């Protein structure tokens, strides 16, 4: 299962979206659910950079993490979140989507989750 988390903090313009794990709808390289998530995350990162948003994050096997800051980053992440929420609704056995809004004293956590 791919776990997607959108992490934001109250009163702070920084945010992070993280997708981790293989969806498991088919074998690696043939999984259209996993491909949809990967494409959404790649588009998010590409658009953040195109709009001049500061963008960072990590990437590896079955991991894509994108950090952003500012209003444009929020709008792009919100649009991506809408797509990924719909995907999780349609394929609940392969995708989970969680949105976490941290209070000012809360830590991001080691993995942003």
């Amino acid at each position: 299962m791919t776990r997607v988390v959108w992490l934001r903090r109250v009163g702070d313009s920084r945010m992070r979206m993280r997708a981790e794990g293989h969806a498991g709808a088919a074998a690696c390289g043939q999984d259209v659910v996993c491909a949809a998530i990967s494409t959404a995350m790649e588009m998010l990162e590409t658009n953040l950079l195109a709009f001049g948003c500061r963008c960072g994050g990590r990437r590896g096997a079955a991991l894509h993490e994108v950090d952003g800051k500012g209003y444009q980053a929020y709008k792009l992440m919100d649009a991506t979140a809408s797509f990924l929420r719909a995907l999780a609704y349609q394929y609940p056995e392969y995708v989970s989507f969680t949105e976490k809004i941290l209070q000012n004293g809360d830590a991001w956590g080691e993995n942003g989750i």
Side-chain angles (χ1 to χ4, degrees):
M1 171 176 277
T2 299
R3 291 167 305 284
V4 179
V5 176
W6 185 17
L7 191 63
R8 298 183 287 148
R9 185 188 313 269
V10 172
D12 191 339
S13 63
R14 291 178 302 152
M15 62 210 79
R16 173 177 292 157
M17 189 169 289
R18 177 185 176 95
E20 183 174 19
H22 178 64
C28 288
Q30 298 177 5
D31 189 335
V32 295
V33 176
C34 203
I37 295 165
S38 295
T39 300
M41 295 298 288
E42 288 289 334
M43 286 178 58
L44 172 60
E45 187 171 7
T46 300
N47 284 318
L48 283 169
L49 292 171
F51 278 102
C53 298
R54 292 190 64 202
C55 183
R58 298 183 302 163
R59 163 186 301 200
L63 167 68
H64 198 132
E65 183 175 276
V66 178
D67 293 333
K69 184 175 181 177
Y71 181 74
Q72 287 287 3
Y74 171 78
K75 297 306 282 180
L76 291 166
M77 284 197 183
D78 187 47
T80 303
S82 293
F83 171 76
L84 293 170
R85 268 190 218 101
L87 201 61
Y89 179 79
Q90 189 169 2
Y91 298 101
E93 63 276 21
Y94 303 120
V95 184
S96 70
F97 183 91
T98 305
E99 183 174 350
K100 292 185 178 182
I101 301 174
L102 302 175
Q103 299 304 311
N104 283 330
D106 297 338
W108 285 93
E110 179 183 340
N111 295 318
I113 295 174

